[in-house]
Amino acid sequence: EAALAALRAASEADDDSEEPQEAPPEREREAQEEKEVQAPSEHNTEDGWEIMAEEEPERLDSAPSALILCSAPLTLGIEAQETEDARGDATEEFAGLISGSGLPASQAYRVGRVIVPTGEVSIPACAKVVVQNDGKVAWPESAALALVLGEDMGLPFLQLGAIAPGEAAEIILDFSVPPRKAPGSSRSAWALIDATTGATLGPLLLFETVWSK
């Protein structure tokens, strides 16, 4: 009987040793915190950062832009006459001039070509041009026309101001054609720019003069 009691005691001791011992609550908390630190986050893994770096943010076209829509017949002094079929969009005709000017112009528009007699008197000419803000942002207050080619014809610079997207406005260009004693011709061009930054808004406006006896 003593031997049987000893065997039962040994068996119970073995059964007790096989039961898992519960970890202290503090140790469980520490283990859980370690797992959370080691687990990769959805947003800060190496692969995740690479994906974010490759994605381009959405960009809106924020550059001011302009388009010449049309122009009226020139108003001229009695001595001058206009070549009617010369007025209008001339982007294709002046593609070489645009590319060679160094200006990022998107349009060339001839506001007119006048024929004036040679002599010693200046001759007035007035052009009216309709321009539209065809961009997504308003023009700055510093929007202006600035001479970029040829004689200024009495108009080296013209302040325009702000125009909201989609709006159109009429620009009045008052030229003064200088006198010449010999026959000849000239071409002048003005760019629509932001006078503060020098950035172009798109169009070049062209005015041509022919002096004839």
PDB file of all heavy atoms in Angstrom, residues 147-180:
ATOM      1  N   LEU A 147       6.412  95.335 -75.943  1.00  0.00           N
ATOM      2  CA  LEU A 147       7.068  95.197 -77.237  1.00  0.00           C
ATOM      3  C   LEU A 147       8.218  94.198 -77.138  1.00  0.00           C
ATOM      4  O   LEU A 147       9.043  94.260 -76.225  1.00  0.00           O
ATOM      5  CB  LEU A 147       7.613  96.552 -77.690  1.00  0.00           C
ATOM      6  CG  LEU A 147       8.296  96.570 -79.059  1.00  0.00           C
ATOM      7  CD1 LEU A 147       7.260  96.485 -80.167  1.00  0.00           C
ATOM      8  CD2 LEU A 147       9.153  97.830 -79.212  1.00  0.00           C
ATOM      9  N   VAL A 148       8.264  93.259 -78.088  1.00  0.00           N
ATOM     10  CA  VAL A 148       9.344  92.273 -78.113  1.00  0.00           C
ATOM     11  C   VAL A 148      10.073  92.240 -79.450  1.00  0.00           C
ATOM     12  O   VAL A 148      11.100  91.580 -79.584  1.00  0.00           O
ATOM     13  CB  VAL A 148       8.801  90.860 -77.791  1.00  0.00           C
ATOM     14  CG1 VAL A 148       8.301  90.791 -76.358  1.00  0.00           C
ATOM     15  CG2 VAL A 148       7.708  90.434 -78.766  1.00  0.00           C
ATOM     16  N   LEU A 149       9.525  92.958 -80.469  1.00  0.00           N
ATOM     17  CA  LEU A 149      10.151  92.933 -81.796  1.00  0.00           C
ATOM     18  C   LEU A 149       9.804  94.203 -82.550  1.00  0.00           C
ATOM     19  O   LEU A 149       8.655  94.641 -82.553  1.00  0.00           O
ATOM     20  CB  LEU A 149       9.659  91.706 -82.585  1.00  0.00           C
ATOM     21  CG  LEU A 149      10.097  91.606 -84.054  1.00  0.00           C
ATOM     22  CD1 LEU A 149      11.586  91.282 -84.135  1.00  0.00           C
ATOM     23  CD2 LEU A 149       9.275  90.546 -84.786  1.00  0.00           C
ATOM     24  N   GLY A 150      10.811  94.805 -83.211  1.00  0.00           N
ATOM     25  CA  GLY A 150      10.578  95.935 -84.111  1.00  0.00           C
ATOM     26  C   GLY A 150      10.377  97.271 -83.424  1.00  0.00           C
ATOM     27  O   GLY A 150      10.676  97.443 -82.231  1.00  0.00           O
ATOM     28  N   GLU A 151       9.850  98.229 -84.196  1.00  0.00           N
ATOM     29  CA  GLU A 151       9.597  99.574 -83.677  1.00  0.00           C
ATOM     30  C   GLU A 151       8.368  99.567 -82.779  1.00  0.00           C
ATOM     31  O   GLU A 151       7.414  98.807 -83.001  1.00  0.00           O
ATOM     32  CB  GLU A 151       9.393 100.554 -84.836  1.00  0.00           C
ATOM     33  CG  GLU A 151      10.599 100.675 -85.764  1.00  0.00           C
ATOM     34  CD  GLU A 151      10.357 101.718 -86.854  1.00  0.00           C
ATOM     35  OE1 GLU A 151      10.143 102.901 -86.512  1.00  0.00           O
ATOM     36  OE2 GLU A 151      10.367 101.336 -88.040  1.00  0.00           O
ATOM     37  N   ASP A 152       8.370 100.422 -81.781  1.00  0.00           N
ATOM     38  CA  ASP A 152       7.260 100.399 -80.815  1.00  0.00           C
ATOM     39  C   ASP A 152       5.993 101.090 -81.322  1.00  0.00           C
ATOM     40  O   ASP A 152       4.928 100.974 -80.716  1.00  0.00           O
ATOM     41  CB  ASP A 152       7.698 101.003 -79.485  1.00  0.00           C
ATOM     42  CG  ASP A 152       8.082 102.478 -79.576  1.00  0.00           C
ATOM     43  OD1 ASP A 152       7.579 103.202 -80.468  1.00  0.00           O
ATOM     44  OD2 ASP A 152       8.883 102.922 -78.741  1.00  0.00           O
ATOM     45  N   MET A 153       6.067 101.816 -82.423  1.00  0.00           N
ATOM     46  CA  MET A 153       4.901 102.493 -82.996  1.00  0.00           C
ATOM     47  C   MET A 153       4.170 103.367 -81.971  1.00  0.00           C
ATOM     48  O   MET A 153       2.949 103.503 -81.994  1.00  0.00           O
ATOM     49  CB  MET A 153       3.916 101.474 -83.596  1.00  0.00           C
ATOM     50  CG  MET A 153       4.482 100.646 -84.717  1.00  0.00           C
ATOM     51  SD  MET A 153       4.832 101.688 -86.166  1.00  0.00           S
ATOM     52  CE  MET A 153       5.847 100.609 -87.166  1.00  0.00           C
ATOM     53  N   GLY A 154       4.951 103.935 -81.063  1.00  0.00           N
ATOM     54  CA  GLY A 154       4.370 104.796 -80.034  1.00  0.00           C
ATOM     55  C   GLY A 154       3.716 104.030 -78.900  1.00  0.00           C
ATOM     56  O   GLY A 154       3.046 104.635 -78.055  1.00  0.00           O
ATOM     57  N   LEU A 155       3.875 102.695 -78.865  1.00  0.00           N
ATOM     58  CA  LEU A 155       3.222 101.876 -77.846  1.00  0.00           C
ATOM     59  C   LEU A 155       4.194 100.799 -77.340  1.00  0.00           C
ATOM     60  O   LEU A 155       4.034  99.609 -77.633  1.00  0.00           O
ATOM     61  CB  LEU A 155       1.964 101.223 -78.425  1.00  0.00           C
ATOM     62  CG  LEU A 155       1.023 100.536 -77.432  1.00  0.00           C
ATOM     63  CD1 LEU A 155       0.346 101.554 -76.528  1.00  0.00           C
ATOM     64  CD2 LEU A 155      -0.021  99.723 -78.175  1.00  0.00           C
ATOM     65  N   PRO A 156       5.182 101.198 -76.550  1.00  0.00           N
ATOM     66  CA  PRO A 156       6.137 100.202 -76.058  1.00  0.00           C
ATOM     67  C   PRO A 156       5.566  99.281 -74.996  1.00  0.00           C
ATOM     68  O   PRO A 156       6.039  98.147 -74.813  1.00  0.00           O
ATOM     69  CB  PRO A 156       7.272 101.062 -75.485  1.00  0.00           C
ATOM     70  CG  PRO A 156       6.611 102.357 -75.116  1.00  0.00           C
ATOM     71  CD  PRO A 156       5.543 102.572 -76.141  1.00  0.00           C
ATOM     72  N   PHE A 157       4.534  99.760 -74.279  1.00  0.00           N
ATOM     73  CA  PHE A 157       4.002  98.993 -73.146  1.00  0.00           C
ATOM     74  C   PHE A 157       2.559  99.429 -72.887  1.00  0.00           C
ATOM     75  O   PHE A 157       2.228 100.613 -72.979  1.00  0.00           O
ATOM     76  CB  PHE A 157       4.863  99.245 -71.900  1.00  0.00           C
ATOM     77  CG  PHE A 157       4.486  98.429 -70.694  1.00  0.00           C
ATOM     78  CD1 PHE A 157       4.995  97.158 -70.493  1.00  0.00           C
ATOM     79  CD2 PHE A 157       3.617  98.957 -69.738  1.00  0.00           C
ATOM     80  CE1 PHE A 157       4.645  96.415 -69.377  1.00  0.00           C
ATOM     81  CE2 PHE A 157       3.270  98.221 -68.619  1.00  0.00           C
ATOM     82  CZ  PHE A 157       3.784  96.945 -68.435  1.00  0.00           C
ATOM     83  N   LEU A 158       1.710  98.455 -72.572  1.00  0.00           N
ATOM     84  CA  LEU A 158       0.312  98.772 -72.274  1.00  0.00           C
ATOM     85  C   LEU A 158      -0.163  97.906 -71.109  1.00  0.00           C
ATOM     86  O   LEU A 158      -0.209  96.677 -71.212  1.00  0.00           O
ATOM     87  CB  LEU A 158      -0.579  98.516 -73.500  1.00  0.00           C
ATOM     88  CG  LEU A 158      -2.081  98.792 -73.318  1.00  0.00           C
ATOM     89  CD1 LEU A 158      -2.335 100.258 -73.019  1.00  0.00           C
ATOM     90  CD2 LEU A 158      -2.862  98.333 -74.542  1.00  0.00           C
ATOM     91  N   GLN A 159      -0.494  98.558 -69.997  1.00  0.00           N
ATOM     92  CA  GLN A 159      -1.006  97.839 -68.838  1.00  0.00           C
ATOM     93  C   GLN A 159      -2.430  97.347 -69.108  1.00  0.00           C
ATOM     94  O   GLN A 159      -3.275  98.095 -69.610  1.00  0.00           O
ATOM     95  CB  GLN A 159      -0.996  98.754 -67.613  1.00  0.00           C
ATOM     96  CG  GLN A 159      -1.323  98.058 -66.298  1.00  0.00           C
ATOM     97  CD  GLN A 159      -0.197  97.164 -65.820  1.00  0.00           C
ATOM     98  OE1 GLN A 159       0.978  97.521 -65.926  1.00  0.00           O
ATOM     99  NE2 GLN A 159      -0.540  96.009 -65.293  1.00  0.00           N
ATOM    100  N   LEU A 160      -2.711  96.087 -68.752  1.00  0.00           N
ATOM    101  CA  LEU A 160      -4.031  95.511 -68.994  1.00  0.00           C
ATOM    102  C   LEU A 160      -4.806  95.244 -67.709  1.00  0.00           C
ATOM    103  O   LEU A 160      -5.982  95.534 -67.608  1.00  0.00           O
ATOM    104  CB  LEU A 160      -3.897  94.204 -69.791  1.00  0.00           C
ATOM    105  CG  LEU A 160      -3.242  94.312 -71.172  1.00  0.00           C
ATOM    106  CD1 LEU A 160      -3.140  92.947 -71.823  1.00  0.00           C
ATOM    107  CD2 LEU A 160      -4.013  95.281 -72.062  1.00  0.00           C
ATOM    108  N   GLY A 161      -4.174  94.633 -66.725  1.00  0.00           N
ATOM    109  CA  GLY A 161      -4.850  94.328 -65.470  1.00  0.00           C
ATOM    110  C   GLY A 161      -5.450  92.933 -65.454  1.00  0.00           C
ATOM    111  O   GLY A 161      -5.251  92.120 -66.359  1.00  0.00           O
ATOM    112  N   ALA A 162      -6.218  92.651 -64.383  1.00  0.00           N
ATOM    113  CA  ALA A 162      -6.740  91.307 -64.143  1.00  0.00           C
ATOM    114  C   ALA A 162      -8.013  91.044 -64.939  1.00  0.00           C
ATOM    115  O   ALA A 162      -8.832  91.937 -65.144  1.00  0.00           O
ATOM    116  CB  ALA A 162      -7.007  91.113 -62.655  1.00  0.00           C
ATOM    117  N   ILE A 163      -8.164  89.793 -65.382  1.00  0.00           N
ATOM    118  CA  ILE A 163      -9.383  89.316 -66.026  1.00  0.00           C
ATOM    119  C   ILE A 163      -9.677  87.925 -65.458  1.00  0.00           C
ATOM    120  O   ILE A 163      -8.779  87.084 -65.357  1.00  0.00           O
ATOM    121  CB  ILE A 163      -9.240  89.244 -67.558  1.00  0.00           C
ATOM    122  CG1 ILE A 163      -9.024  90.632 -68.154  1.00  0.00           C
ATOM    123  CG2 ILE A 163     -10.465  88.587 -68.186  1.00  0.00           C
ATOM    124  CD1 ILE A 163      -8.865  90.633 -69.663  1.00  0.00           C
ATOM    125  N   ALA A 164     -10.902  87.662 -65.093  1.00  0.00           N
ATOM    126  CA  ALA A 164     -11.288  86.375 -64.509  1.00  0.00           C
ATOM    127  C   ALA A 164     -11.308  85.278 -65.574  1.00  0.00           C
ATOM    128  O   ALA A 164     -11.460  85.563 -66.765  1.00  0.00           O
ATOM    129  CB  ALA A 164     -12.659  86.497 -63.847  1.00  0.00           C
ATOM    130  N   PRO A 165     -11.172  84.027 -65.174  1.00  0.00           N
ATOM    131  CA  PRO A 165     -11.224  82.923 -66.141  1.00  0.00           C
ATOM    132  C   PRO A 165     -12.523  82.928 -66.945  1.00  0.00           C
ATOM    133  O   PRO A 165     -13.613  83.117 -66.400  1.00  0.00           O
ATOM    134  CB  PRO A 165     -11.144  81.674 -65.243  1.00  0.00           C
ATOM    135  CG  PRO A 165     -10.447  82.147 -64.014  1.00  0.00           C
ATOM    136  CD  PRO A 165     -10.888  83.560 -63.810  1.00  0.00           C
ATOM    137  N   GLY A 166     -12.392  82.753 -68.259  1.00  0.00           N
ATOM    138  CA  GLY A 166     -13.551  82.712 -69.138  1.00  0.00           C
ATOM    139  C   GLY A 166     -14.007  84.067 -69.636  1.00  0.00           C
ATOM    140  O   GLY A 166     -14.765  84.142 -70.608  1.00  0.00           O
ATOM    141  N   GLU A 167     -13.569  85.148 -69.005  1.00  0.00           N
ATOM    142  CA  GLU A 167     -13.996  86.485 -69.426  1.00  0.00           C
ATOM    143  C   GLU A 167     -13.171  86.970 -70.620  1.00  0.00           C
ATOM    144  O   GLU A 167     -12.050  86.538 -70.843  1.00  0.00           O
ATOM    145  CB  GLU A 167     -13.864  87.479 -68.275  1.00  0.00           C
ATOM    146  CG  GLU A 167     -14.883  87.275 -67.174  1.00  0.00           C
ATOM    147  CD  GLU A 167     -14.852  88.390 -66.138  1.00  0.00           C
ATOM    148  OE1 GLU A 167     -13.940  89.244 -66.200  1.00  0.00           O
ATOM    149  OE2 GLU A 167     -15.751  88.392 -65.273  1.00  0.00           O
ATOM    150  N   ALA A 168     -13.758  87.878 -71.380  1.00  0.00           N
ATOM    151  CA  ALA A 168     -13.084  88.490 -72.527  1.00  0.00           C
ATOM    152  C   ALA A 168     -13.123  89.999 -72.381  1.00  0.00           C
ATOM    153  O   ALA A 168     -14.008  90.547 -71.724  1.00  0.00           O
ATOM    154  CB  ALA A 168     -13.755  88.058 -73.836  1.00  0.00           C
ATOM    155  N   ALA A 169     -12.162  90.655 -72.988  1.00  0.00           N
ATOM    156  CA  ALA A 169     -12.090  92.113 -72.921  1.00  0.00           C
ATOM    157  C   ALA A 169     -11.527  92.651 -74.225  1.00  0.00           C
ATOM    158  O   ALA A 169     -10.823  91.943 -74.962  1.00  0.00           O
ATOM    159  CB  ALA A 169     -11.213  92.551 -71.747  1.00  0.00           C
ATOM    160  N   GLU A 170     -11.867  93.888 -74.514  1.00  0.00           N
ATOM    161  CA  GLU A 170     -11.359  94.548 -75.715  1.00  0.00           C
ATOM    162  C   GLU A 170     -10.123  95.367 -75.361  1.00  0.00           C
ATOM    163  O   GLU A 170     -10.128  96.141 -74.406  1.00  0.00           O
ATOM    164  CB  GLU A 170     -12.425  95.461 -76.325  1.00  0.00           C
ATOM    165  CG  GLU A 170     -11.991  96.114 -77.629  1.00  0.00           C
ATOM    166  CD  GLU A 170     -13.069  97.016 -78.205  1.00  0.00           C
ATOM    167  OE1 GLU A 170     -13.322  98.093 -77.614  1.00  0.00           O
ATOM    168  OE2 GLU A 170     -13.688  96.627 -79.211  1.00  0.00           O
ATOM    169  N   ILE A 171      -9.081  95.172 -76.147  1.00  0.00           N
ATOM    170  CA  ILE A 171      -7.852  95.951 -75.984  1.00  0.00           C
ATOM    171  C   ILE A 171      -7.773  96.964 -77.116  1.00  0.00           C
ATOM    172  O   ILE A 171      -7.924  96.608 -78.298  1.00  0.00           O
ATOM    173  CB  ILE A 171      -6.609  95.033 -76.021  1.00  0.00           C
ATOM    174  CG1 ILE A 171      -6.689  93.971 -74.925  1.00  0.00           C
ATOM    175  CG2 ILE A 171      -5.333  95.857 -75.852  1.00  0.00           C
ATOM    176  CD1 ILE A 171      -5.559  92.955 -75.002  1.00  0.00           C
ATOM    177  N   ILE A 172      -7.546  98.214 -76.777  1.00  0.00           N
ATOM    178  CA  ILE A 172      -7.419  99.275 -77.788  1.00  0.00           C
ATOM    179  C   ILE A 172      -5.947  99.646 -77.910  1.00  0.00           C
ATOM    180  O   ILE A 172      -5.302 100.027 -76.925  1.00  0.00           O
ATOM    181  CB  ILE A 172      -8.258 100.502 -77.404  1.00  0.00           C
ATOM    182  CG1 ILE A 172      -9.740 100.112 -77.336  1.00  0.00           C
ATOM    183  CG2 ILE A 172      -8.051 101.631 -78.421  1.00  0.00           C
ATOM    184  CD1 ILE A 172     -10.649 101.222 -76.876  1.00  0.00           C
ATOM    185  N   LEU A 173      -5.431  99.507 -79.113  1.00  0.00           N
ATOM    186  CA  LEU A 173      -4.019  99.798 -79.394  1.00  0.00           C
ATOM    187  C   LEU A 173      -3.941 101.043 -80.263  1.00  0.00           C
ATOM    188  O   LEU A 173      -4.333 101.024 -81.428  1.00  0.00           O
ATOM    189  CB  LEU A 173      -3.379  98.606 -80.112  1.00  0.00           C
ATOM    190  CG  LEU A 173      -3.561  97.230 -79.444  1.00  0.00           C
ATOM    191  CD1 LEU A 173      -3.059  96.131 -80.363  1.00  0.00           C
ATOM    192  CD2 LEU A 173      -2.839  97.189 -78.112  1.00  0.00           C
ATOM    193  N   ASP A 174      -3.426 102.101 -79.704  1.00  0.00           N
ATOM    194  CA  ASP A 174      -3.256 103.355 -80.448  1.00  0.00           C
ATOM    195  C   ASP A 174      -1.817 103.460 -80.930  1.00  0.00           C
ATOM    196  O   ASP A 174      -0.896 103.724 -80.145  1.00  0.00           O
ATOM    197  CB  ASP A 174      -3.614 104.554 -79.561  1.00  0.00           C
ATOM    198  CG  ASP A 174      -5.110 104.681 -79.344  1.00  0.00           C
ATOM    199  OD1 ASP A 174      -5.865 104.516 -80.320  1.00  0.00           O
ATOM    200  OD2 ASP A 174      -5.523 104.934 -78.187  1.00  0.00           O
ATOM    201  N   PHE A 175      -1.633 103.250 -82.237  1.00  0.00           N
ATOM    202  CA  PHE A 175      -0.303 103.307 -82.830  1.00  0.00           C
ATOM    203  C   PHE A 175      -0.055 104.679 -83.453  1.00  0.00           C
ATOM    204  O   PHE A 175      -0.987 105.387 -83.840  1.00  0.00           O
ATOM    205  CB  PHE A 175      -0.156 102.244 -83.919  1.00  0.00           C
ATOM    206  CG  PHE A 175      -0.335 100.835 -83.444  1.00  0.00           C
ATOM    207  CD1 PHE A 175      -1.280 100.002 -84.039  1.00  0.00           C
ATOM    208  CD2 PHE A 175       0.439 100.328 -82.416  1.00  0.00           C
ATOM    209  CE1 PHE A 175      -1.446  98.706 -83.623  1.00  0.00           C
ATOM    210  CE2 PHE A 175       0.274  99.018 -81.985  1.00  0.00           C
ATOM    211  CZ  PHE A 175      -0.671  98.211 -82.580  1.00  0.00           C
ATOM    212  N   SER A 176       1.212 104.993 -83.571  1.00  0.00           N
ATOM    213  CA  SER A 176       1.639 106.171 -84.321  1.00  0.00           C
ATOM    214  C   SER A 176       2.735 105.721 -85.282  1.00  0.00           C
ATOM    215  O   SER A 176       3.868 105.426 -84.864  1.00  0.00           O
ATOM    216  CB  SER A 176       2.170 107.260 -83.381  1.00  0.00           C
ATOM    217  OG  SER A 176       2.619 108.381 -84.118  1.00  0.00           O
ATOM    218  N   VAL A 177       2.378 105.616 -86.558  1.00  0.00           N
ATOM    219  CA  VAL A 177       3.332 105.124 -87.561  1.00  0.00           C
ATOM    220  C   VAL A 177       4.327 106.232 -87.877  1.00  0.00           C
ATOM    221  O   VAL A 177       3.944 107.310 -88.345  1.00  0.00           O
ATOM    222  CB  VAL A 177       2.593 104.683 -88.836  1.00  0.00           C
ATOM    223  CG1 VAL A 177       3.593 104.195 -89.885  1.00  0.00           C
ATOM    224  CG2 VAL A 177       1.574 103.588 -88.507  1.00  0.00           C
ATOM    225  N   PRO A 178       5.603 105.989 -87.647  1.00  0.00           N
ATOM    226  CA  PRO A 178       6.595 107.048 -87.870  1.00  0.00           C
ATOM    227  C   PRO A 178       6.817 107.296 -89.368  1.00  0.00           C
ATOM    228  O   PRO A 178       6.613 106.403 -90.189  1.00  0.00           O
ATOM    229  CB  PRO A 178       7.856 106.489 -87.213  1.00  0.00           C
ATOM    230  CG  PRO A 178       7.697 105.011 -87.296  1.00  0.00           C
ATOM    231  CD  PRO A 178       6.226 104.755 -87.137  1.00  0.00           C
ATOM    232  N   PRO A 179       7.230 108.496 -89.723  1.00  0.00           N
ATOM    233  CA  PRO A 179       7.460 108.806 -91.144  1.00  0.00           C
ATOM    234  C   PRO A 179       8.759 108.197 -91.655  1.00  0.00           C
ATOM    235  O   PRO A 179       9.712 107.991 -90.894  1.00  0.00           O
ATOM    236  CB  PRO A 179       7.526 110.339 -91.155  1.00  0.00           C
ATOM    237  CG  PRO A 179       8.020 110.698 -89.793  1.00  0.00           C
ATOM    238  CD  PRO A 179       7.458 109.678 -88.865  1.00  0.00           C
ATOM    239  N   ARG A 180       8.770 107.929 -92.951  1.00  0.00           N
ATOM    240  CA  ARG A 180       9.984 107.481 -93.633  1.00  0.00           C
ATOM    241  C   ARG A 180      10.028 108.169 -94.991  1.00  0.00           C
ATOM    242  O   ARG A 180       9.007 108.316 -95.657  1.00  0.00           O
ATOM    243  CB  ARG A 180      10.014 105.966 -93.814  1.00  0.00           C
ATOM    244  CG  ARG A 180      10.347 105.175 -92.565  1.00  0.00           C
ATOM    245  CD  ARG A 180      10.655 103.722 -92.905  1.00  0.00           C
ATOM    246  NE  ARG A 180      10.926 102.914 -91.746  1.00  0.00           N
ATOM    247  CZ  ARG A 180      11.248 101.634 -91.788  1.00  0.00           C
ATOM    248  NH1 ARG A 180      11.332 101.019 -92.985  1.00  0.00           N
ATOM    249  NH2 ARG A 180      11.497 100.956 -90.693  1.00  0.00           N
TER     250      ARG A 180
END
